[in-house]
Each structure stands twice: as C-alpha cells, then as structure tokens.
Amino acid sequence: MLVVAIGGSPSQRSRSGVLLERAKHALQGKGVEVVTFQVRDFNAEDLLHARFDSPQVLNFLQLVEKADGVIVATPIYKAAYSGALKTLLDLLPERALSGKVVLPIATGGSIAHLLAVDYALKPVLSALKAQETLQGIFADDTQITYGQGNAAAQLDERLAERFEAVLTEFHQTIASRPKPVDPGVLNDRLLSARWSI
Ligand SMILES: Cc1cc2nc3c(=O)[nH]c(=O)nc-3n(C[C@H](O)[C@H](O)[C@H](O)COP(=O)(O)O)c2cc1C
C-alpha cells in the first residue's frame, strides 16, 4: 500500500506538518509505504509557472498516480486552505485522485474556520475525482504544543484520540478497497476462461 502525504504549509515549523508526520509514522507502523511532499520543498518557479514537465513535479505526479491513498494537510489561511497548496494541486491532472482514498487534515488559529475543509478543500478534492474523501480532522493551535529543542510536539488528549481513530479509519478504508488484478494474472484468467467455454 502506498500513501502520498502532501503538506501545504509554507512554514518550516508547522502544526499541520506535525499531524502529517504523526500520520506518516502511524501508517508506517501498519506496514504502509508513505512518501511525503511538502509544498515548500518544490521549486517555487515550477509552481508559479505551472511547469508540469519539471522533474520534481513529474515525480510527484507519478507517485500520486501510483498511490492508494492521499493525505492532504493544510493550514487555514484566510478562511481556506493555503494558496501554496493550491499551486501544487493545480498541477495534478483532472482525474488524479480517482480510485483513491483521501484524508484531509487542517490546523487553524481558532475553530471559527472549522468548516473550511468542507467548503473550500473538499470541492477541490472532488474536482480531482477523489473516490472517497474521509471526514478528516481539524485541530486548533491550542491543541498542538511544540516541544522544546528537539522534543516532539504534543497533541492534547482529545485530539490525539480523535486523530488515532481517523488514521485507523483511513488505513481500513484503503485496505478494504478492491485490489486491481495484476495484468499477468488477468491474462491467465482470461486464457483459462476461454478454454472453459
Ligand atoms: C497568513 C495567515 C493566515 C491565517 N488565516 C487564518 C484563518 O483565516 N483562520 C484561522 O483559523 N487561522 C488562520 N491562521 C492561523 C493558522 O491557520 C494556524 O496557525 C495554523 O495552525 C498554521 O499551520 P502551520 O503551522 O501548519 O503553518 C492564519 C495564519 C497565517 C500565517
């Protein structure tokens, strides 16, 4: 199973990034391969000039195509997802999320924009034909405390519990998807079906 994790924060120290990192470790613990892309690690010119053919962008597109699941984590900026995230999502082809399970994650300064994922991010995921977009998780900044020095950030108890449940749901949804039949196996099946007619 492959999951592509997309971080939409321009900030190096990032609360949505903390949740994305936690998700990555939790899924890896369940045997899932997770590849993370942070929007801030892309060449800004590739994003602003929509260079679909840049090697970095092509690598991203290929991995999204192969992925069973995609996690999209974003800070809430001006009552929506970050503009930086949108420049990356805009490079995806129209059906990029078709057949994939998508988990949205957002962090915001207050709960006032709790619904931004529903009214802003989810329509974009739906335009990319996400097969199944989970409810996801929203955390406000008071629920994630950065550690001192190299210490890991702490989630408050309620958030930690909710997040674990959300990740379990995400993993189970991906695991229960019908698996595409390997082309070699499909060929054998078709041949044997012909002989049995
Ligand atoms: C430019 C900017 C705009 C923001 N706009 C909002 C907003 O409209 N609503 C909100 O709840 N928080 C807003 N915030 C707060 C961030 O969403 C919040 O601190 C978030 O956790 C940051 O995520 P990050 O640490 O992953 O970058 C804004 C922060 C910045 C820097």
Side-chain angles (χ1 to χ4, degrees), residues 72 89 97 102-104 120-130 133:
V72 181
L89 296 180
L97 299 180
V102 183
L103 173 66
L121 182 58
K122 284 188 180 172
V124 178
L125 303 174
S126 153
L128 291 166
K129 308 288 184 287
T133 302

Side-chain angles (χ1 to χ4, degrees), residues 96-129:
L97 299 180
S98 139
K100 303 185 198 305
V101 181
V102 183
L103 173 66
I105 294 176
T107 61
S110 78
I111 57 161
H113 293 132
L114 175 74
L115 294 178
V117 169
D118 291 324
Y119 64 69
L121 182 58
K122 284 188 180 172
V124 178
L125 303 174
S126 153
L128 291 166
K129 308 288 184 287

Side-chain angles (χ1 to χ4, degrees), residues 9 11 14-16 75-79 107-110 113 141 146:
S9 177
S11 309
S14 153
R15 286 190 165 89
S16 57
I76 302 298
Y77 277 5
K78 308 290 186 284
T107 61
S110 78
H113 293 132
D141 286 354
Y146 289 121

Side-chain angles (χ1 to χ4, degrees), residues 126-176:
S126 153
L128 291 166
K129 308 288 184 287
Q131 181 187 325
E132 188 167 357
T133 302
L134 302 185
Q135 182 57 36
I137 197 149
F138 176 95
D140 77 68
D141 286 354
T142 62
Q143 297 180 291
I144 305 169
T145 312
Y146 289 121
Q148 301 282 356
N150 287 333
Q154 297 294 315
L155 308 195
D156 85 9
E157 208 178 311
R158 274 189 36 226
L159 174 62
E161 260 172 38
R162 272 196 304 131
F163 197 39
E164 202 182 312
V166 162
L167 291 173
T168 302
E169 182 194 10
F170 180 58
H171 179 247
Q172 283 172 353
T173 311
I174 296 173
S176 61

